[in-house]
Amino acid sequence: MAFPNRYDRNKMALSEQECASLAGKRIAVVGCGGLGGLVIEALARIGVGHVRVIDGDVFEESNLNRQLLCTEDALGREKALVAAERIRAINGEVEAEPIVAFLSEENAAELLGGVDCVVDCLDNLEARFWMAHACQDLSTPVVYGAIAGWFGQVCTVHPGDPSFVSIYGEPFGESQHKKLGNLPFTAYSIAAFQAAEAVKVVLGKPCQVRNRLLMIDLLDGSVDDMELR
């Protein structure tokens, strides 16, 4: 290992076997913006061996308020490529696989194949549903997250579990984040939950946020959950 002390602080919470196991895991992060950039950061630092980053967008000025990967120098650059550079700068032991593409009905299965877990950091409902359908077909678990203003929600969906229809009802429509805005600390909070869930999924750890929707309100400081049916 190039940096023998890199994972010492992980070992207080994860066993040495779990730390070693992470190096062989493959996780795809769909969306490299407010949620995705922070999830990518955490996965690279904890030592997930292969991180696929998928996003067809470029950074713009309105991203600067919350997106970790967005700097003034990165404006106009492809988010997936910047994300891959960040991974390599953090941890040379992690294989970064950037894909500059928007997820759609036509390419979802191709983009998401061959990974142990998918982390959903998308910002539109249509792509989210195509992702969910592809992951069901691929038998791949998904860690879902979304934010709107001061509010965020998280759940982990395994193949066969109640999924996005339980949350949204209809697959097409306008995401609430466009109406309520995106605050940096909301993104950081939800991304932390997502990264933790992804690690639990690939390590097979219990106590996942599964078959329930975790709802975090940072304005009133409350955390609630709702059973998914």
Side-chain angles (χ1 to χ4, degrees):
M1 184 178 292
F3 300 93
N5 299 321
R6 175 186 289 276
Y7 303 119
D8 279 357
R9 297 302 176 94
N10 290 356
K11 294 175 184 176
M12 303 303 292
L14 299 173
S15 69
E16 289 194 18
Q17 182 179 1
E18 288 174 325
C19 290
S21 178
L22 283 176
K25 301 302 182 182
R26 301 168 62 90
I27 295 179
V29 180
V30 189
C32 301
L35 293 174
L38 290 147
V39 171
I40 290 162
E41 178 93 1
L43 297 181
R45 290 189 180 278
I46 203 168
V48 173
H50 184 108
V51 181
R52 181 181 302 166
V53 292
I54 304 167
D55 200 314
D57 204 1
V58 299
F59 286 115
E60 57 187 43
E61 192 172 6
S62 64
N63 302 148
L64 286 166
N65 81 313
R66 69 199 182 282
Q67 297 191 13
L68 179 69
L69 299 175
C70 185
T71 64
E72 292 182 357
D73 289 339
L75 295 178
R77 295 193 60 204
E78 291 89 350
K79 293 183 179 182
L81 299 184
V82 174
E85 289 177 3
R86 178 65 177 175
I87 291 169
R88 294 169 187 139
I90 293 169
N91 192 342
E93 297 174 355
V94 176
E95 182 179 357
E97 181 190 358
I99 298 178
V100 181
F102 292 104
L103 188 142
S104 66
E105 179 183 9
E106 292 75 22
N107 66 14
E110 180 182 358
L111 294 182
L112 302 177
V115 298
D116 301 301
C117 178
V118 171
V119 185
D120 166 23
C121 299
L122 289 161
D123 63 359
N124 73 87
L125 298 184
E126 183 175 352
R128 177 163 283 145
F129 269 77
W130 297 133
M131 180 215 63
H133 285 303
C135 287
Q136 289 284 347
D137 291 341
L138 294 165
S139 296
T140 303
V142 180
V143 177
Y144 154 79
I147 63 172
W150 295 77
F151 178 82
Q153 53 192 32
V154 180
C155 70
T156 293
V157 179
H158 287 257
D161 287 353
S163 181
F164 300 86
V165 173
S166 299
I167 302 170
Y168 291 112
E170 295 294 334
F172 307 108
E174 185 177 13
S175 298
Q176 288 300 306
H177 79 276
K178 294 181 179 179
K179 299 177 181 179
L180 300 177
N182 301 105
L183 298 174
F185 36 76
T186 312
Y188 303 161
S189 301
I190 300 305
F193 274 102
Q194 286 187 281
E197 285 295 299
V199 169
K200 288 190 287 184
V201 166
V202 299
L203 292 179
K205 295 182 76 66
C207 302
Q208 297 170 26
V209 183
R210 185 175 177 187
N211 296 320
R212 59 193 177 99
L213 182 67
L214 191 67
M215 299 172 288
I216 299 97
D217 189 331
L218 295 177
L219 187 58
D220 66 13
S222 66
V223 179
D224 298 296
D225 63 1
M226 175 181 70
E227 181 182 0
L228 297 179
R229 297 170 180 254

